[in-house]
């Protein structure tokens, strides 16, 4: 048996033992804290209903009133489970996978099952609330819906009158969802600012993605890969519903390599686990690119035909365009969907057939990959030559020094990736993306993909694998009056806290104020300066305590109408059917959106019922893979139908046509020239680099990983899950010895920004020099303070030109630790 296998077993045994030992004490402490928190709100609100009253046992011998209904789980979770629910005597009693599904899609995880207790839990928001203390104290009194909506209307109108409609910002998290709200209010909005976009900022521009870098191929296609490399992504936990596809690929003969600072569940399945120094993933890809170039492991035919590498650059680094060469006017390009016309001045290449400058897509043109030594092209160089020049400092030996990965391992993965014949690259959300240099990582990885042609064919893909859930379909939108649309914000939301702006009211839908913003103390200062904060959620999370008015929302298991919602995901269209009645005084997402619209006098533009809204979306869709589908057909088939033509896994860009300016993989980012990032240029992390003098005071990196138990910050209050896992920090035993702390000690983790107190657990799987915890823990899950009070919120200035703005560098954080 190999040393690596033995080491894996030792590490996994350590994980299991530590998790089992610490569960009971942490759970009891958290439950007591939760009860105390609910008691405080309950007293201020005149007494809340007990969750036990909703879970009282049925009388013995009584015949239950039982029915079956179907719904889907979290909108944000990429599992996209469709669920069969048993409702007994008006209560949710059982959750199973929808039995109308094929086995491939029939699934449900611990989070879904836990909802039987969770939706009745102690943290449910039961009634509208009004703040009675200072903003941020979390002190409220219960009020009626009429009182709440009167105040919401008055406050929003006051902000409109004083500053304009765009002074209201709608911030979305995981749940609830009410997509038309920003348009109804004319408010500014932004999709998940700062989270899950770090790598996409570098990868997606070259293929015209949306910034969230979903895997280009469906995970069912993993079986066609010969080599799979997963980097900074614990796919077997964060993509748990698709993990079976990875196991099928391994069984089919694919080689799996996992590069991650920490030993993980996914690493335990790998043929080779390669630890890497935190924050240096970009250096690894830069070194791999150099090795591929130096050893001519690239696919020259693919590079010439499908990438921008033959395009010519002028001496200032900008593209040479055809108008400058020929004097011809730019092309007029009409958008097939909108009819809008735009101009495109084509790129220029050196044609080896005519020995002259030519259109990059000219008929019969055979472009040169390099023009060195060609006298008539002496003023130019190709993007390919520029890449080679840019790569000169980034040798494989340099990368080994930066990353801590042995040269032999770097050479091995570079060559296997380039030459396997079908390689997949899984880039993670929840790990390597949470550093200030994550866009450099994405850009360098993308160039490696473009050089080797590992995209657009079976087994060839790149991106976040838990985003690779198959085909999509667009439903019909509800028509709103002309001019009723969201406003464009002046800046990204994280800059509201430090830069002058016109946002004076925030509508926080979900736990956004904790989840999106690092350095929570700074966030609190900003929130206290606003005119009005409206909180909408199912549970009493950390964002709610900053609200002036709180509106309680329903879960996906509560629906008073025959149909409540619809979505397209995981190769299926699925609906939320009538479930249990809304618990306590909560309302559905649609009802709350309508109440807010009514409070400001614009509800007349909305559908009258949820059923009408969903029927419009489904029955009027024009998607090619939903032809003939109606809401009635969905109701006849357990609320779910598969898309048409999904027998074969989705292969993105199979035609090698990209929605970029040139229609190819555009690897050179001209708009980033001023930041010296037109091509990926190495940049140290902001805090966790080796020579940072701050390490003398704060020697440990804090990393927040994702877990199978949570979705961002959701489910931290679910008791059934708390029995198995709750919030603590993990350290390598060697670091614990140096820090003078013991396993299961209560410790304070701190830096100049703030601190939090919780239990520490020994775990050899944690990279030395790091302290590991899970992403999104609430203040109720630790003994004191908040994890987000220490996290780094610094960003690079180039964020203004990145596709999705700056990434919040949660893992780019240094801390110290001591016994509490």
């Amino acid at each position: 048996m190999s040393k690596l296998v033995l080491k894996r077993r030792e590490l996994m045994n350590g994980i299991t033992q530590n998790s089992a030992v610490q569960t009971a004490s942490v759970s009891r402490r958290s439950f007591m804290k939760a009860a105390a928190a609910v008691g405080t709100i309950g007293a201020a609100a005149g007494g809340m209903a007990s969750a036990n009253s909703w879970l009282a046992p049925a009388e013995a011998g009584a015949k239950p009133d039982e029915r079956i209904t179907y719904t889907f789980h979290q909108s944000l979770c990429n599992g996209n489970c469709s669920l069969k629910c048993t409702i007994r005597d008006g209560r949710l009693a059982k959750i199973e996978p929808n039995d109308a599904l094929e086995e491939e899609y029939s699934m449900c995880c611990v989070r879904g099952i836990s909802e039987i207790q969770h939706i009745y839990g102690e943290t449910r928001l039961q009634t509208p609330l009004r703040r009675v203390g200072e903003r941020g104290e979390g002190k409220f009194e219960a009020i009626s819906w009429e009182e709440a909506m009167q105040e919401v209307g008055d406050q929003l109108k006051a902000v409109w009158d004083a500053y304009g409609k765009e002074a209201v910002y709608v911030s979305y998290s995981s749940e609830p969802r009410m997509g038309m709200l920003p348009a109804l209010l004319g408010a500014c909005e932004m999709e998940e600012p700062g989270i899950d976009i770090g790598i996409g900022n570098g990868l997606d521009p070259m293929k015209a993605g949306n910034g969230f870098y979903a895997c280009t191929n469906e995970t069912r296609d993993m079986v066609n890969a010969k080599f799979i490399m997963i980097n900074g992504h614990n796919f077997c936990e964060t993509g748990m519903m698709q993990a079976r596809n990875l196991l099928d690929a391994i069984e089919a003969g694919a080689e799996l390599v996992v590069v991650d600072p920490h030993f993980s569940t996914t690493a335990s399945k790998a043929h080779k686990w390669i630890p890497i120094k935190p924050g240096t993933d970009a250096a690894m890809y830069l070194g791999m690119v150099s090795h591929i170039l130096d050893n001519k492991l690239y696919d020259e035919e693919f590079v010439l035909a499908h990438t921008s590498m033959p395009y010519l650059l002028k001496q200032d680094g900008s593209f040479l365009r055809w108008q400058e060469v020929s004097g011809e006017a730019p092309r007029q390009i009409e958008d097939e969907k909108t009819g809008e016309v735009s101009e495109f001045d084509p790129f220029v290449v050196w044609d080896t057939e005519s020995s002259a400058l030519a259109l990059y897509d000219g008929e019969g043109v055979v472009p040169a990959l390099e023009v060195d030594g060609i006298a008539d092209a002496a003023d130019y160089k190709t993007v390919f030559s520029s890449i080679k020049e840019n790569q000169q400092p980034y040798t494989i030996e340099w990368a080994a020094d930066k990353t801590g990965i042995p040269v032999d391992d770097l050479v091995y993965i570079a060559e296997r990736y380039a030459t396997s014949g079908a390689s997949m690259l899984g880039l993670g959300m929840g790990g390597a993306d949470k550093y200030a240099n994550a866009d450099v990582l994405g850009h360098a990885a993308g160039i490696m993909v473009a050089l080797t042609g590992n995209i657009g064919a079976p087994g060839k893909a790149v991106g976040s694998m838990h985003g690779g859930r198959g085909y999509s379909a667009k439903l019909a939108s509800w028509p709103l009056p002309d001019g009723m649309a969201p406003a464009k914000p002046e800046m990204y939301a994280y800059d509201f806290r430090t830069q002058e702006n016109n946002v004076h009211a925030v509508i926080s839908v979900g736990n956004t104020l904790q989840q999106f913003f690092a350095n929570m103390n700074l966030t609190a200062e900003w929130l206290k300066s606003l005119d009005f904060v409206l909180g909408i959620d199912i549970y009493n999370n950390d964002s709610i305590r900053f609200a002036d008015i709180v509106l309680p929302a329903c879960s996906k298991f509560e629906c008073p109408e025959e149909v409540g919602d619809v979505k397209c995901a995981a190769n299926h269209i699925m609906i939320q059917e009538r479930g249990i009645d809304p618990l306590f005084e909560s309302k559905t997402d649609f009802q709350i959106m309508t109440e807010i619209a009514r409070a400001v006098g614009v509800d007349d533009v909305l559908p009258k019922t949820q059923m009408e809204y969903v029927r419009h979306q489904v029955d009027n869709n024009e998607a090619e893979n939903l032809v003939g589908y109606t809401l009635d057909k969905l109701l006849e088939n357990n609320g779910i139908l598969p898309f048409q033509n999904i027998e074969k896994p989705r292969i993105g860009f199979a035609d090698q046509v990209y929605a970029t300016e040139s229609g190819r993989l555009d690897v050179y980012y001209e708009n980033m020239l001023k930041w010296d990032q037109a091509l990926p240029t190495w940049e140290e992390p902001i805090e966790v680099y080796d020579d940072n003098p701050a390490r003398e005071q704060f020697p440990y990196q804090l990393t927040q990983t994702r877990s199978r138990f949570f979705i961002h910050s959701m489910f931290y209050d679910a008791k059934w899950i708390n029995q198995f896992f709750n919030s603590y920090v993990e350290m390598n035993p060697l670091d614990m010895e140096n820090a003078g702390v013991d396993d299961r000690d209560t410790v304070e983790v701190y830096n100049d920004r703030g601190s939090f107190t919780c239990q520490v657990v020994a775990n050899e799987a944690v990279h030395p020099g790091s302290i590991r915890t899970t992403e999104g823990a609430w203040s109720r899950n630790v003994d004191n303070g908040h994890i987000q009070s220490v996290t780094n919120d610094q960003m690079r200035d180039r964020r203004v030109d990145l596709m999705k703005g700056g990434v919040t560098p949660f893992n780019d954080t240094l801390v110290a630790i001591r016994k509490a």
Side-chain angles (χ1 to χ4, degrees):
M1 186 176 294
S2 71
K3 292 182 179 179
L4 178 59
V5 171
L6 287 171
K7 190 61 177 176
R8 284 200 196 114
R9 289 188 175 180
E10 293 169 7
L11 292 172
M12 291 306 292
N13 287 338
I15 294 170
T16 303
Q17 293 165 7
N18 287 327
S19 298
V21 169
Q22 65 85 35
T23 296
S25 60
V26 173
S27 297
R28 284 195 293 271
R29 181 167 64 248
S30 298
F31 293 167
M32 292 301 292
K33 289 182 65 183
V38 172
T40 300
I41 295 176
M48 291 291 198
S50 167
N52 290 334
S53 67
W54 292 90
L55 291 170
E59 293 183 15
K63 185 176 180 179
D65 175 18
E66 186 170 296
R67 63 184 176 88
I68 302 296
T69 188
Y70 298 90
T71 188
F72 52 82
H73 203 203
Q74 297 291 336
S75 294
L76 191 65
C77 174
N78 282 288
N80 295 303
C81 301
S82 178
L83 303 175
K84 175 182 178 181
C85 303
T86 301
I87 296 176
R88 185 177 299 136
D89 291 333
R91 299 188 184 97
L92 181 64
K94 188 177 182 181
I95 297 174
E96 307 170 83
N98 191 331
D99 47 20
L101 289 161
E102 295 291 333
E103 190 275 336
E104 166 72 25
Y105 303 97
S106 182
M107 58 190 71
C108 181
C109 76
V110 65
R111 294 173 299 215
I113 295 170
S114 76
E115 294 281 25
I116 294 176
Q117 177 277 324
H118 187 214
I119 66 169
Y120 300 102
E122 295 165 336
T123 60
R124 272 301 293 260
L125 291 167
Q126 300 179 15
T127 180
L129 301 171
R130 177 166 52 210
R131 176 171 60 85
V132 294
E134 294 294 320
R135 191 178 289 160
E137 281 189 291
K139 294 182 179 179
F140 301 95
E141 63 179 355
I143 57 176
S144 67
W145 272 96
E146 290 74 17
E147 290 176 289
M149 298 320 302
Q150 180 66 49
E151 186 145 354
V152 168
D154 291 345
Q155 292 284 357
L156 290 178
K157 289 174 183 176
V159 170
W160 286 0
D161 290 343
Y163 311 106
K165 288 186 175 182
E166 66 277 7
V168 178
Y169 174 68
V170 181
S171 181
Y172 281 115
S173 180
S174 310
E175 297 279 341
R177 290 285 183 179
M178 43 196 74
M180 286 192 287
L181 185 60
L184 291 168
L185 300 178
C188 60
E189 67 169 342
M190 193 176 301
E191 186 178 18
E192 301 190 357
I195 287 184
D196 294 344
I197 47 84
I199 293 173
N201 273 333
L203 176 66
D204 275 13
M206 71 177 60
K207 56 186 179 66
N210 65 3
F212 291 98
Y213 61 105
C215 193
T216 53
N217 290 6
E218 185 181 346
T219 51
R220 283 190 298 161
D221 177 57
M222 283 182 172
V223 294
N224 294 312
K226 304 301 181 185
F227 179 77
I228 301 173
M229 177 171 159
I230 297 178
N231 171 216
H233 183 192
N234 190 5
F235 175 70
C236 288
E237 296 210 18
T238 62
M240 186 162 45
M241 296 297 96
Q242 302 107 286
R244 64 175 70 182
N245 298 136
L246 178 62
L247 300 180
D248 289 344
I250 294 171
E251 186 175 344
E255 178 184 2
L256 174 63
V257 170
V258 172
V259 180
D260 196 309
H262 315 282
F263 190 78
S264 65
T265 305
T266 310
S268 74
K269 310 301 180 187
H271 297 87
K272 190 177 186 65
W273 165 51
I274 301 177
I276 186 172
K277 192 180 299 180
T280 65
D281 305 78
M284 174 182 70
Y285 288 110
L286 288 169
M288 291 172 71
V289 167
S290 290
H291 186 76
I292 289 168
L293 288 170
D294 293 345
N295 293 276
K296 299 189 183 325
L297 302 177
Y298 49 87
D299 183 340
E300 185 168 340
E301 182 178 349
F302 182 92
V303 167
L304 287 169
H306 302 301
T307 81
S308 61
M309 294 189 201
Y311 301 168
L312 294 177
L313 301 172
K314 296 185 288 187
Q315 292 183 356
D316 64 359
S318 64
F319 282 113
L320 177 65
R321 300 280 186 162
W322 186 242
Q323 185 177 24
E324 184 176 343
V325 173
S326 67
E328 296 178 8
R331 295 176 183 173
Q332 302 294 304
I333 309 294
E334 182 176 348
D335 189 290
E336 294 180 359
K337 294 181 179 179
T338 66
E340 294 182 1
V341 176
S342 59
E343 290 188 344
F344 170 48
D345 190 0
F347 299 99
V348 179
V349 298
W350 182 262
D351 179 22
T352 58
E353 292 291 297
S354 62
S355 297
L357 299 174
L359 281 167
Y360 80 102
D361 58 353
E363 186 176 352
V365 170
V366 179
L369 196 53
E370 296 187 84
V371 294
D372 296 344
I374 300 175
D376 292 341
D379 292 334
Y380 314 111
K381 61 183 173 183
T382 63
V383 169
F384 182 80
S385 293
S386 187
I387 291 172
K388 290 177 67 175
E389 182 180 315
N390 189 69
Q391 285 293 134
Q392 287 179 6
Y394 309 131
T395 64
I396 203 82
E397 291 78 15
W398 170 88
D401 181 64
K402 282 291 181 184
T403 63
I405 300 174
V407 169
D408 288 348
D409 283 343
L410 288 173
V411 168
Y412 179 81
I413 57 177
E415 295 186 353
R416 287 290 295 132
Y417 179 82
T419 64
S420 76
S423 292
M424 276 191 166
L425 177 58
L427 299 170
M429 293 181 176
D433 61 318
K434 293 184 174 181
Y435 296 88
N437 60 4
D439 59 305
V440 183
L441 185 171
H443 197 174
I447 285 179
M448 187 174 76
V449 172
L451 282 169
T452 59
N454 275 305
I455 189 171
K460 297 183 178 184
V462 61
S464 173
M465 287 180 166
H466 69 255
R469 288 296 278 154
Y471 297 88
S472 62
K474 187 175 181 180
L475 297 173
S477 300
W478 182 265
L480 293 174
D482 291 342
M484 185 172 273
K488 184 177 180 180
E490 304 168 83
M491 60 191 68
Y492 289 99
Y494 41 69
D495 285 330
F496 291 159
R497 305 175 306 166
T498 57
Q499 297 184 26
E500 187 175 343
N501 61 85
N502 191 43
V503 170
H504 293 269
V506 168
I507 300 177
S508 174
V509 186
N511 197 10
T512 60
L513 305 179
Q514 172 201 342
Q515 187 169 299
F516 293 164
F517 303 98
N519 190 354
M520 200 164 189
N521 291 329
L522 180 61
T523 304
E525 292 177 17
W526 166 61
L527 291 170
K528 291 174 183 178
S529 72
L530 296 173
D531 291 19
F532 180 59
V533 178
L534 172 62
I536 306 172
D537 212 312
I538 309 168
Y539 302 100
N540 178 29
N541 54 50
D542 283 323
S543 295
I544 288 297
R545 74 172 191 262
F546 292 100
D548 300 307
I549 295 292
V550 178
L551 303 179
C554 292
S555 70
K556 282 292 186 288
F557 301 91
E558 301 156 62
C559 180
E561 294 191 42
E562 187 177 1
V563 175
D565 204 354
V566 61
K567 77 171 178 178
C568 292
N571 292 332
H572 288 76
I573 179 172
M574 57 191 83
I575 58 173
Q576 173 196 16
E577 295 185 348
R578 183 172 69 88
I580 60 175
D581 290 334
L583 294 176
F584 309 105
E585 295 182 35
S586 65
K587 292 184 182 292
T588 66
D589 298 356
F590 177 82
Q591 289 172 331
I592 293 175
M593 183 173 65
T594 302
E595 290 280 358
I596 296 173
R598 184 177 296 119
V600 295
V602 296
D603 56 304
D604 59 325
V605 304
L606 289 172
K608 302 306 178 186
T609 64
Q610 294 172 260
M611 181 78 164
E612 180 186 4
Y613 184 27
V614 174
R615 184 174 293 280
H616 175 85
Q617 291 176 281
V618 178
D619 292 359
N620 295 284
N621 87 82
E622 297 180 355
E624 293 181 1
N625 49 8
L626 294 179
V627 174
Y629 284 22
T630 65
L631 179 57
D632 291 335
K633 289 183 178 179
L634 279 166
L635 288 167
E636 293 168 4
N637 196 59
N638 294 7
I640 193 163
L641 285 167
F643 296 160
Q644 295 156 354
N645 305 315
I646 61 169
E647 292 76 17
K648 294 182 179 180
R650 177 184 59 81
I651 307 297
F653 309 111
D655 57 2
Q656 290 300 333
V657 175
Y658 303 85
T660 57
E661 191 178 15
S662 70
R664 302 183 183 183
L665 283 168
D666 286 350
V667 301
Y668 186 86
Y669 301 165
E670 190 177 33
N671 72 311
M672 300 301 291
L673 262 174
K674 62 184 176 183
W675 305 110
D676 194 25
Q677 289 292 350
L679 292 171
T681 301
W682 168 249
E683 178 182 76
E684 296 282 1
I686 287 177
E687 286 193 5
V688 302
Y689 62 95
D690 286 344
D691 298 329
N692 187 350
R695 279 189 176 273
E696 293 185 14
Q697 187 177 3
F698 306 114
Y700 302 107
Q701 179 236 1
L702 177 68
T703 184
Q704 298 183 56
T705 59
R706 292 189 178 166
S707 163
R708 64 187 180 277
F709 294 109
F710 311 115
I711 306 171
H712 288 305
S713 64
M714 302 192 75
F715 295 97
Y716 272 94
D717 59 331
K719 277 189 176 181
W720 284 8
I721 288 177
N722 292 154
Q723 293 177 84
F724 300 100
F725 192 93
N726 214 303
S727 189
Y728 53 87
V729 296
E730 297 174 301
M731 290 184 75
N732 190 286
L734 294 176
D735 286 334
M736 293 179 69
E737 183 177 349
N738 293 334
V741 298
D742 295 321
D743 187 34
R744 297 184 298 281
D745 274 352
T746 298
V747 296
E748 180 186 15
V749 180
Y750 64 96
N751 57 23
D752 288 338
R753 287 180 285 267
S755 70
F756 64 94
T757 303
C758 66
Q759 192 177 68
V760 64
V761 173
N763 192 339
E764 289 182 333
V766 177
H767 193 282
S770 292
I771 296 175
R772 185 172 72 175
T773 188
T774 49
E775 175 194 53
W778 301 8
S779 57
R780 72 191 295 275
N781 299 107
V782 296
D783 293 317
N784 189 48
H786 198 288
I787 289 174
Q788 293 292 53
S789 66
V790 305
T791 45
N792 181 12
D793 62 340
Q794 300 175 71
M795 295 184 181
R796 301 297 188 189
D797 291 342
R798 67 175 177 275
R799 66 184 182 273
V800 297
D801 286 318
L802 293 173
M803 174 177 273
K804 300 294 287 188
V807 64
T808 307
F810 293 102
N811 289 349
D812 200 349
T813 295
L814 289 180
V815 296
I817 188 170
R818 59 192 173 203
K819 283 188 178 181

